[in-house]
DNA sequence: TAGGCCATCTGGTCCT
DNA sequence: AGGACCAGATGGCCTA
């Protein structure tokens, strides 16, 4: 049951853990890489014009959609649209990391432990939920 | 220096 | 048509 997390010995850590309080030495903004998010809001994505188009792949072999069986259409976008898509993707990843951070705060860790990676966070959360479920079912 | 982790870019696919 | 989601590629940073 607890073998999901090979690199975290949950049973061993339980007696001494606080549910909250992993040190936040390393927030989402770990490398200052999100400093530009402020400027993201300033960028008017609506300026991405719609003079772009879908075009049939002009290459020799046009691939076929696995789901529809129709020929795949290559989506051609302008550099402005590409930039806007990059910004949206950064925002999306930012909110994903915010969710990881809030999950990190919910799973028990030793205060001195280094920040959990995303995969460690997910695995520990799975084990933690299973552990708590086990406790509830045996009471 | 190798390996792990992460941010970012990019193109494909799905959905509205 | 365009945004959301996803996965692959790439490069930087950090640690053992």
């Amino acid at each position: 049951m607890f073998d999901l997390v090979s690199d975290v010995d949950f049973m061993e850590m339980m007696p001494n853990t606080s549910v909250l309080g992993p040190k936040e030495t390393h927030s989402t903004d770990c490398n200052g890489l999100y400093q530009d998010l402020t400027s993201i809001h300033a960028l008017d994505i609506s300026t991405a014009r719609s003079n772009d188009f879908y075009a049939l792949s002009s290459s020799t072999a046009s691939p076929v959609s696995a789901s529809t069986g129709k020929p795949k259409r290559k989506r051609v976008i302008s550099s402005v649209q590409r930039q806007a898509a990059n910004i949206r993707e950064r925002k999306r990843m930012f909110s994903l990391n915010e969710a990881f951070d809030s999950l990190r705060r919910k799973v028990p860790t030793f205060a001195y432990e280094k920040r959990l990676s995303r995969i460690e966070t997910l695995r520990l959360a799975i084990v933690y939920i299973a552990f708590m479920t086990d406790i509830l079912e045996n009471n």
Side-chain angles (χ1 to χ4, degrees), chain A residues 37-65:
Chain A
L37 274 177
T38 52
S39 60
I40 285 174
H41 295 290
L43 190 148
D44 184 2
I45 294 178
S46 66
T47 59
R49 297 199 49 246
S50 60
N51 59 346
D52 310 301
F53 53 93
Y54 282 87
L56 274 172
S57 172
S58 58
S59 61
T60 52
S62 62
V64 175
S65 167

Side-chain angles (χ1 to χ4, degrees), chain A residues 62-72:
Chain A
S62 62
V64 175
S65 167
S67 55
T68 65
K70 296 175 184 174
K72 283 182 182 176

Side-chain angles (χ1 to χ4, degrees), chain A residues 14-30:
Chain A
M14 276 311 284
N16 223 354
T17 52
S18 63
V19 171
L20 296 177
K23 60 177 187 244
E24 285 297 316
T25 61
H26 202 140
S27 70
T28 308
D29 190 5
C30 58

